Amino acid sequence: MATAAAHRTAGTPAHDASDAAAGTDARQAAFDAAVAADERIEPRDWMPDAYRATLVRQIAQHAHSEIIGMQPEANWITRAPSLRRKAILMAKVQDEAGHGLYLYSAAETLGTSREELLDKLHSGRQKYSSIFNYPTLTWADVGAIGWLVDGAAITNQVPLCRCSYGPYARAMVRVCKEESFHQRQGYELLLALSRGTPEQHAMAQDAVNRWWWPSLMMFGPPDDASQHSAQSMAWKIKRHSNDELRQRFVDICVPQAESLGLTLPDPDLKWNEERGHHDFGAIDWTEFWDVLKGNGPCNEQRLTQRRRAHDEGAWVREAAAAHAAKHSGEHTGAVAGRTGVKQA
Amino acid sequence: MTNSDWPLWEVFVRSRRGLSHTHAGSLHAPDAELALRNARDLYTRRGEGVSIWVVPSAAITASSPDEKDPFFEPAADKPYRHPTFYEIPEGVKHL
Amino acid sequence: MTATVPVPTTAALALGDDALVLSHRLGEWAGHAPVLEEEVALANIALDLLGQARVLLSMAGDEDELAFLREERAFTNLQLVEQPNGDFAHTIARQLYFSTYQHLLYAELARGDGRFAPLAAKAVKEVAYHRDHAEQWTLRLGDGTDVSHERMRRACEALWRFTGEMFQPVRGLDVDWPGLEAAWLDAVSDVLRRATLTVPEGPRSGAWAAGAGRQGLHTEPFGRMLAEMQHLHRSHPGASW
């Protein structure tokens, strides 16, 4: 994955001011050629400022989504109804912290520190996925999140494994590998409820009713209203349009819902023979923009908890840093390559 | 850097004996001991490793992309360094 | 009530409840840890403990019935592990006291040929890591900043009175309890000293805390913890999940 180190090392030759313009043209050409040839851009390569900025924004938003996304599910860890489910849920929420870490390190290779990114999250200057501004009201929501929210995320993320920026693509390979367990556990959880008592079945149906439409919104605004899409596609950061991925997701979910014995809350949902896809009802974009603006049911709560965890942890991070400063040079780990790293 | 920022470490994992350590990613830690432990928790929680190295990111010196051509191109036109360069009559074994 | 259950069951429940309850408390940290790397670390420890709890409770009966349908007074975990997380220093102090105990105890059980030897042999490796994690953090908090030193000192003292209970013999475990206690005291004192902390001077067991958890007497926060943990399961009698 990422080598953030790349930014700190010496060795970039200086250029005359007179060379600068010609140099940039040549570099732009090299960059364009690499993207066109489906090669990966690596951290120390020259890249257009806007490409860098787009990546930082997207990777940061993705990382923020992972760590804010821990909250709605962690909400049920202490109430999981069986020990097996509890272990699964804890492992899943833990993975999300891990995914956040992979992604923050990918973002750091672009020259922005995690601290800066967290700062922007905490101050509301960077976003996370709006889906996590919806509450988890029942246990079945844990299943619906796994099946629908993680399912939508995977549909979005699998193409990112081929994204033009190397560290992001590599982070996504790792994330996608781990996410597939998330989706399957959600589906299995819902299946158990759907086949359980009438109350459990109703709980599952209610959760699917509430999470279906927000999941479809996860693919972002329709292509004609998506401000960053075209440029991101040209840069091969993005490989498919929002509407294309949304359609793919709907087509995948319909038969899965049938196997679950649950219905999707859309009277207009039906197979269109001509298109070879399912037609589906109109999405309420007013709600989408409203939640994005901060008026969702949990926007305030999610950010407040995140800020509190960060602020209340400051003394711990400071203590460890102070301890390291006092004891630098006392490292007791084995020297790699001589005796092998003995720890862990 | 504020005093609560932890430095960045690069993590290398040996996935099994007989293979070399491979770069797995990076993380933050206040010191080497915690870096190793964080790496264990983050990069080997699905049994991906049998040995870990952590290196302060600041300690890595990397070749520059601007020097890519002088660094790497001269090696590209020396096919005689590769065994496939040589023609061996059919039927000759153990070569 | 302990008189009516077979001896190995008593021990399986005692050890299983310790692991179950501490795992639950650590699970409460999810989304609240001081740094992301610690989210992952604390969850790893919680998952190890939950795994141990499931094996141990299954030795005594159905794991879910035991976890979700017993009343507070039927739980025989130590009072130490049910103590609320408090700040990170409290959690680390609780981890230090318990994981040192659990590591020494499981190492001894693993060496024996009793019913718990196979489980202990596997768990002792997990617990060694928990102990290491707690020691590393005790050193950093104790010998970090003035603020962290003070917080860690307070935490170590606050939980000290729950540590005597750990060495009340558990029926069915062939353990040298006084030897275990001496080894624990040595180990913990050494870590505290290296962390520039002093070994608390207060009593290691009060009139109430001495062996109370093992006899089903708990502290007030435990009832609320169980209410939260058991609520959903109990709301759907007979349902499977």
Side-chain angles (χ1 to χ4, degrees):
Chain A
M1 222 176 69
T3 310
H7 284 279
R8 318 214 168 163
T9 49
T12 308
H15 288 275
D16 284 350
S18 55
D19 282 354
T24 303
D25 284 350
R27 289 166 168 202
Q28 176 78 50
F31 172 85
D32 292 342
V35 170
D38 259 339
E39 277 179 26
R40 296 287 175 269
I41 305 301
E42 295 296 343
R44 302 196 68 209
D45 293 340
W46 181 90
M47 60 186 89
D49 289 342
Y51 176 83
R52 184 185 298 275
T54 299
L55 278 169
V56 169
R57 183 177 49 78
Q58 181 173 336
I59 301 173
Q61 173 167 335
H62 196 158
H64 299 333
S65 301
E66 294 283 356
I67 63 167
I68 295 284
M70 296 170 72
Q71 292 182 29
E73 293 182 277
N75 184 33
W76 283 94
I77 287 179
T78 52
R79 293 176 287 173
S82 74
L83 297 185
R84 175 174 176 271
R85 291 284 172 209
K86 188 170 181 162
I88 292 168
L89 185 55
M90 270 205 252
K92 181 177 189 251
V93 174
Q94 180 194 40
D95 271 353
E96 278 148 17
H99 296 173
L101 285 168
Y102 303 154
L103 288 159
Y104 283 121
S105 31
E108 284 186 276
T109 63
L110 292 158
T112 317
S113 74
R114 193 206 295 177
E115 197 67 17
E116 280 174 66
L117 297 175
L118 285 176
D119 228 39
K120 287 186 177 155
L121 168 66
H122 297 155
S123 60
R125 279 174 294 157
Q126 280 178 345
K127 301 270 182 223
Y128 54 89
S129 175
S130 273
I131 192 79
F132 302 117
N133 289 319
Y134 291 88
T136 47
L137 301 179
T138 73
W139 170 250
D141 290 32
V142 173
I145 288 184
W147 176 41
L148 295 174
V149 175
D150 292 331
I154 291 169
T155 309
N156 262 330
Q157 289 167 3
V158 166
L160 289 175
C161 298
R162 296 185 298 120
C163 154
S164 60
Y165 187 59
Y168 191 27
R170 292 191 286 279
M172 290 318 300
V173 168
R174 200 179 266 273
V175 168
C176 286
K177 223 188 293 174
E178 300 183 352
E179 285 280 341
S180 58
F181 128 62
H182 296 184
Q183 193 189 13
R184 287 174 74 108
Q185 68 82 32
Y187 193 83
E188 189 209 61
L189 190 164
L190 283 179
L191 192 64
L193 294 179
S194 181
R195 293 180 177 172
T197 65
E199 291 79 11
Q200 286 177 305
H201 181 89
M203 194 194 281
Q205 184 62 59
D206 168 60
V208 170
N209 291 349
R210 282 182 289 110
W211 288 93
W212 173 249
W213 290 107
S215 301
L216 293 190
M217 295 179 199
M218 282 175 71
F219 295 93
D223 294 345
D224 47 26
S226 175
Q227 65 180 124
H228 304 295
S229 275
Q231 181 60 72
S232 286
M233 301 264 287
W235 278 330
K236 295 189 182 170
I237 293 174
K238 213 175 146 119
R239 294 281 184 163
H240 305 278
S241 80
N242 294 352
D243 287 330
E244 212 177 316
L245 290 169
R246 184 165 18 244
Q247 180 70 60
R248 186 182 295 178
F249 179 66
V250 171
D251 290 339
I252 289 171
C253 286
V254 170
Q256 290 178 347
E258 270 168 38
S259 302
L260 275 178
L262 298 172
T263 54
L264 297 172
D266 179 359
D268 298 325
L269 188 65
K270 60 173 183 297
W271 177 251
N272 181 326
E273 190 65 50
E274 211 170 296
R275 292 202 307 126
H277 291 293
H278 290 86
D279 291 337
F280 54 96
I283 294 171
D284 180 0
W285 292 109
T286 324
E287 175 180 318
F288 174 81
W289 294 113
D290 213 28
V291 176
L292 197 69
K293 267 184 251 150
N295 301 322
C298 300
N299 298 55
E300 190 57 39
Q301 178 190 333
R302 301 286 186 242
L303 261 190
T304 303
Q305 177 178 330
R306 179 86 267 294
R307 277 192 218 114
R308 197 191 311 130
H310 189 76
D311 294 347
E312 287 179 0
W315 70 271
V316 176
R317 300 191 299 276
E318 280 160 18
H323 181 271
K326 279 190 223 177
H327 297 270
S328 62
E330 288 175 25
H331 174 44
T332 55
V335 176
R338 295 235 181 128
T339 50
V341 178
K342 74 177 177 187
Q343 314 198 31
Chain B
M1 186 155 123
T2 69
N3 59 357
S4 66
D5 284 359
W6 293 352
L8 195 64
W9 302 74
E10 300 300 323
V11 179
F12 299 81
V13 175
R14 185 199 296 286
S15 57
R16 57 188 163 84
R17 303 183 71 80
L19 297 180
S20 53
H21 288 74
T22 306
H23 186 238
S26 58
L27 49 74
H28 289 265
D31 53 57
E33 276 94 349
L34 282 194
L36 261 186
R37 286 158 180 82
N38 292 347
R40 177 258 197 193
D41 288 334
L42 184 60
Y43 289 105
T44 66
R45 66 188 185 284
R46 283 179 167 80
E48 296 98 328
V50 296
S51 165
I52 299 173
W53 293 347
V54 290
V55 180
S57 301
I60 292 179
T61 307
S63 63
S64 158
D66 293 318
E67 292 155 358
K68 191 171 72 183
D69 295 351
F71 257 64
F72 303 114
E73 261 187 26
D77 67 347
K78 297 180 178 63
Y80 44 80
R81 291 201 212 267
H82 300 277
T84 48
F85 181 72
Y86 302 95
E87 278 180 38
I88 301 294
E90 248 178 74
V92 177
K93 289 177 185 168
H94 306 300
L95 265 178
Chain C
M1 79 172 301
T2 43
T4 60
V5 290
V7 165
T9 300
T10 308
L13 284 177
L15 300 181
D17 288 346
D18 282 350
L20 177 73
V21 171
L22 186 56
S23 162
H24 184 97
R25 284 298 190 203
L26 291 172
E28 292 174 351
W29 271 104
H32 299 273
V35 63
L36 277 173
E37 280 81 358
E38 254 340 270
E39 292 278 359
V40 183
L42 292 170
N44 258 1
I45 297 172
L47 282 167
D48 285 342
L49 289 166
L50 185 52
Q52 294 163 15
R54 295 182 65 189
V55 173
L56 286 159
L57 294 183
S58 297
M59 291 169 82
D62 178 273
E63 60 175 36
D64 285 338
E65 278 178 28
L66 288 167
F68 295 103
L69 298 177
R70 272 183 303 161
E71 299 287 336
E72 179 177 338
R73 296 277 279 107
F75 279 81
T76 55
N77 54 279
L78 299 164
Q79 290 185 352
L80 174 68
V81 294
E82 77 203 29
Q83 295 312 304
N85 288 335
D87 65 4
F88 190 67
H90 271 79
T91 292
I92 291 301
R94 193 182 59 199
Q95 286 301 112
L96 176 71
Y97 293 164
F98 182 74
S99 62
T100 305
Y101 159 78
Q102 198 190 12
H103 186 229
L104 294 168
L105 174 64
Y106 279 33
E108 190 167 344
L109 292 175
R111 281 193 298 270
D113 53 3
R115 205 173 154 222
F116 297 97
L119 163 97
K122 175 175 179 290
V124 76
K125 292 178 202 150
E126 299 169 346
V127 175
Y129 192 81
H130 306 173
R131 179 177 171 183
D132 174 70
H133 175 267
E135 290 182 4
Q136 295 294 336
W137 272 111
T138 303
L139 296 178
R140 280 158 187 77
L141 298 183
D143 189 15
T145 61
D146 291 346
V147 172
S148 70
H149 179 88
E150 179 56 18
R151 282 180 183 259
M152 197 62 207
R153 184 193 64 75
R154 261 187 279 154
C156 289
E157 285 181 4
L159 294 172
W160 190 246
R161 68 191 181 91
F162 297 105
T163 58
E165 184 190 359
M166 299 191 285
F167 308 101
Q168 298 281 321
V170 174
R171 288 194 308 149
L173 295 185
D174 184 19
V175 167
D176 168 16
W177 296 99
L180 185 70
E181 181 161 17
W184 181 89
L185 205 51
D186 273 355
V188 167
S189 303
D190 178 57
V191 177
L192 294 179
R193 185 186 48 72
R194 285 191 287 131
T196 72
L197 295 160
T198 47
V199 179
E201 285 174 356
R204 299 223 342 274
S205 53
W208 183 260
R214 292 279 186 243
Q215 291 152 33
L217 286 171
H218 295 279
T219 52
E220 283 184 353
F222 186 54
R224 284 192 295 280
M225 192 206 100
L226 279 189
E228 182 173 339
M229 183 173 105
Q230 297 183 336
H231 159 260
L232 177 60
H233 185 97
R234 283 178 181 263
S235 301
H236 297 262
S240 44
W241 300 95

